[in-house]
Amino acid sequence: MVKTAYELYYWPSIQGRGEFVRLALEEAGAHYLDVARLPEAQGGGVRALMKVLRGEMGGLLPFAPPILKVGRQVIAQTANILHYLGPPLGLVPAGEMNRLAALQLQLTVADLVAEAHDVHHPISVDLYYEDQKPQAKKRATRFLAERVPKFLGYFEEVLAERGNYLLGRRPSYVDLSMFQILSGLRYAFPHALARLEKKIPRLLELGERIAARPRIAAYLASDRRIPFSVQGIFRHYPELDS
Ligand SMILES: N[C@@H](CCC(=O)N[C@@H](CS)C(=O)NCC(=O)O)C(=O)O
């Protein structure tokens, strides 16, 4: 059990990128507050998130959530937060080369997350999905035919080289993120994923092993796990799941 008090600031109603941080904190049994999910009367809500985003809680001004506050430190960028959390949460193998290898994989996860997001927002984040549907359809077709197989094929290859987990013998924060990627893609594009499954047997097995870990299983069954929806990064629009 990790005793440090961590404060996560993220949008309160979606999994989004905050989920990669939540999964790491949950797996470690860390004590953390998901601040924006607390009532405003307890210093929570979007108002608290805005405060940290405006730089009123100190630290280098963050651009976007998720943001982690630990004492006086304010840390943004999902991969950077996980890079920071890896050692104290016991979720990265020891040694600088291993930490860099984990960061390298996590940044690749971030690239995939950005592309998954841009499928439903190919023109701009400022527009509604409904305002960019034809472009989204084209983007989804390429994403599912080329990019998802390329990304997942890469992670499958790393896993084949490394063993049970992406960085070797023990699970790291990258394995937790991979579970989230697989869950998100399966929610958003069930048909496309089903077609790809034969090519990524190791990744699928990894996802199952992560889901069965006692703290992760308890988290997934709890109301702390926000359901997938068409507000998040992974969105299920049947017309895009060709
Ligand atoms: N690269 C950043 C991206 C952060 C990001 O795009 N956050 C989203 C929510 S998942 C957001 O609120 N963005 C606001 C914006 O881009 O204006 C990370 O991985 O943390």
Side-chain angles (χ1 to χ4, degrees), residues 8-25 34 63-68 76-82 85 106-107 109-121 125 176-177 180-181 219 225-226 228 231-235:
L8 170 66
Y9 291 80
Y10 192 70
W11 302 111
S13 55
I14 58 168
Q15 292 181 13
R17 288 177 174 88
E19 200 62 14
F20 297 99
V21 183
R22 292 188 184 110
L23 284 167
L25 293 165
D34 203 340
F63 177 73
I67 296 152
L68 185 77
Q77 287 286 354
T78 315
N80 193 37
I81 294 171
L82 292 169
L85 284 175
Q106 193 65 37
L107 287 166
V109 166
D111 291 343
L112 171 51
V113 168
E115 290 196 26
H117 170 273
D118 289 354
V119 164
H120 47 79
H121 279 77
V125 199
L176 304 175
S177 293
Q180 179 65 8
I181 289 284
Y219 168 62
R225 171 79 165 180
I226 301 166
F228 282 110
Q231 307 300 321
I233 288 167
F234 298 103
R235 301 188 182 185

Side-chain angles (χ1 to χ4, degrees), residues 6-239:
Y6 296 106
E7 289 176 23
L8 170 66
Y9 291 80
Y10 192 70
W11 302 111
S13 55
I14 58 168
Q15 292 181 13
R17 288 177 174 88
E19 200 62 14
F20 297 99
V21 183
R22 292 188 184 110
L23 284 167
L25 293 165
E26 291 282 345
E27 167 62 21
H31 176 65
Y32 76 100
L33 292 177
D34 203 340
V35 181
R37 296 193 72 196
L38 297 173
E40 280 196 4
Q42 287 173 36
V46 172
R47 188 182 290 195
L49 172 58
M50 289 304 155
K51 228 170 140 182
V52 74
L53 270 175
R54 285 194 299 264
E56 291 171 21
M57 314 279 264
L60 180 65
L61 186 67
F63 177 73
I67 296 152
L68 185 77
K69 189 166 180 295
V70 192
R72 292 169 64 178
Q73 293 189 82
V74 176
I75 306 155
Q77 287 286 354
T78 315
N80 193 37
I81 294 171
L82 292 169
H83 180 68
Y84 168 83
L85 284 175
L89 298 191
L91 287 174
V92 72
E96 195 187 0
M97 286 317 291
N98 283 324
R99 282 192 78 195
L100 287 178
L103 182 58
Q104 177 180 324
L105 292 175
Q106 193 65 37
L107 287 166
T108 311
V109 166
D111 291 343
L112 171 51
V113 168
E115 290 196 26
H117 170 273
D118 289 354
V119 164
H120 47 79
H121 279 77
I123 302 296
S124 175
V125 199
D126 298 339
L127 299 172
Y128 290 111
Y129 164 64
E130 286 68 25
D131 297 327
Q132 40 195 325
K133 278 175 89 167
Q135 295 91 343
K137 179 67 191 153
K138 277 192 182 166
R139 183 81 188 236
T141 304
R142 303 311 305 162
F143 179 65
L144 296 174
E146 303 296 335
R147 302 300 289 168
V148 174
K150 183 167 182 182
F151 274 109
L152 295 188
Y154 165 72
F155 287 113
E156 179 77 11
E157 215 177 314
V158 172
L159 201 49
E161 255 175 36
R162 290 294 175 124
N164 279 352
Y165 297 99
L166 285 159
L167 290 158
R169 284 208 213 117
R170 296 187 50 216
S172 70
Y173 65 77
V174 189
D175 298 296
L176 304 175
S177 293
M178 192 47 53
F179 158 77
Q180 179 65 8
I181 289 284
L182 293 168
S183 310
L185 289 174
R186 196 178 276 134
Y187 162 74
F189 309 108
H191 290 105
L193 247 277
R195 280 201 302 275
L196 199 64
E197 282 184 348
K198 266 196 228 117
K199 295 194 172 143
I200 51 165
R202 292 179 178 85
L203 278 186
L204 294 180
E205 212 222 306
L206 171 69
E208 279 163 25
R209 261 185 285 130
I210 295 295
R213 293 183 68 79
R215 283 178 176 150
I216 295 295
Y219 168 62
L220 296 178
S222 77
D223 59 8
R224 298 192 301 288
R225 171 79 165 180
I226 301 166
F228 282 110
S229 74
V230 287
Q231 307 300 321
I233 288 167
F234 298 103
R235 301 188 182 185
H236 180 58
Y237 296 119
E239 64 274 21

